[in-house]
Amino acid sequence: MKSINSINSINSINSTNGADNTADAQRVVVIGGTSGVGFAVAQAAAAQGSNVVVASSNQDRVDLAVKKIGDQAEGIVLDVADEAAIVAFFDRVGEFDHLVYTAGEPLLLKPLADLGAEESRAFFERRFWGALLAAKYATPKLRPGGSITLTSGAFATRPVPGALLGASITAAVEGVTRALALELAPLRVNAVRLGAIRTELWDSTVPDPEAFLQAQGSVLPVQRVGTADEAASAYLYLLDNGYATGTVLTLDGGAALS
């Protein structure tokens, strides 16, 4: 597998020689890649020389993400709650090198007594079942040396009252990561366990996003929440490191220590 970090030098050589470097670039698919951490991953991968495919359920967001990333990006609308659509998506994508899954609805923070069955199932549909089905149908399309990177969260190990669904889903994703790393070997499967990251996700999750993020950051050893770019670097590390599999990489500003 070519190192993603090495592609800059490859592309520089090809550009100098006037050669077409398209065949040398890796291809990274980011489901959830039109906003927040997913977009940061897609943008960073493209900046390092990869061709990227970004997918989400909203055509306008897909178009805007592709425009921002530039010529190395392709965008496809995808409803990850629709299994047939996931199958068709990967048939359209064809062969590629790495899958990153960051898709999910805004966090649902409610105590058990207030949770409805329908809304709970819908939350699992995209964050858990969507990720599992994406892994299933991506696997035959991944080239040798490829990888799948899923997304977990700090609630998996440090839940708070009202975060029952978030804790359940993130813990399940981490279990799937370890199981698939064995089942799909030598294909690599990893996950990133994110703490509080400053993205637009919080705009529709809490009443006062800025106050919430300030409060979250103030109790961390680093004294702030993370950025989407910092989160993206964790995903790119797992894509690039051919020795990493079954790994849940924690990026939480030291929250696990407090």
Side-chain angles (χ1 to χ4, degrees):
M1 184 181 83
K2 290 191 290 290
S3 164
I4 290 179
N5 289 332
S6 71
I7 291 178
N8 275 335
S9 59
I10 292 173
N11 286 346
S12 295
I13 293 170
N14 286 343
S15 296
T16 301
N17 293 337
D20 182 0
N21 57 35
T22 302
D24 294 313
Q26 291 201 341
R27 199 161 182 235
V28 179
V29 173
V30 186
I31 297 179
T34 62
S35 62
V37 170
F39 176 74
V41 171
Q43 194 170 45
Q48 291 190 346
S50 295
N51 293 318
V52 298
V53 179
V54 295
S56 78
S57 59
N58 183 283
Q59 183 69 64
D60 290 340
R61 289 202 301 267
V62 168
D63 293 342
L64 182 59
V66 170
K67 181 179 179 180
K68 287 181 177 178
I69 295 170
D71 293 340
Q72 288 169 261
E74 174 188 0
I76 302 175
V77 174
L78 172 63
D79 180 1
V80 296
D82 183 342
E83 183 174 3
I86 295 174
V87 174
F89 171 79
F90 285 110
D91 284 342
R92 175 175 170 181
V93 168
E95 290 190 346
F96 66 104
D97 298 284
H98 302 285
L99 171 66
V100 174
Y101 192 96
T102 63
E105 298 298 319
L107 295 176
L108 185 61
L109 301 175
K110 287 185 177 181
L112 176 62
D114 295 339
L115 282 176
E118 185 173 344
E119 65 180 351
S120 299
R121 291 191 184 99
F123 193 62
F124 262 83
E125 195 71 51
R126 286 173 169 77
R127 288 183 172 266
F128 178 76
W129 290 112
L132 189 61
L133 291 173
K136 175 180 178 177
Y137 294 113
T139 296
K141 307 294 185 181
L142 283 164
R143 296 171 180 142
S147 73
I148 296 171
T149 305
L150 305 177
T151 301
S152 176
F155 288 157
T157 56
R158 293 179 62 83
V160 297
L164 170 63
L165 287 182
S168 301
I169 289 172
T170 51
V173 166
E174 293 186 10
V176 163
T177 297
R178 289 185 282 268
L180 289 182
L182 293 175
E183 182 174 332
L184 302 181
L187 179 73
R188 298 182 299 107
V189 184
N190 297 291
V192 179
R193 182 192 293 156
L194 294 173
I197 304 294
R198 183 181 294 277
T199 71
E200 57 269 39
L201 169 73
W202 300 107
D203 294 346
S204 52
T205 302
V206 295
D208 188 341
E210 185 58 34
F212 172 82
L213 292 171
Q214 291 286 349
Q216 291 292 307
S218 66
V219 299
L220 296 176
V222 296
Q223 294 290 292
R224 64 176 179 84
V225 299
T227 68
D229 288 341
E230 288 170 327
S233 68
Y235 289 85
L236 293 190
Y237 167 79
L238 292 173
L239 267 59
D240 185 56
N241 192 319
Y243 199 53
T245 194
T247 295
V248 178
L249 194 163
T250 299
L251 188 77
D252 65 358
L257 304 175
S258 58

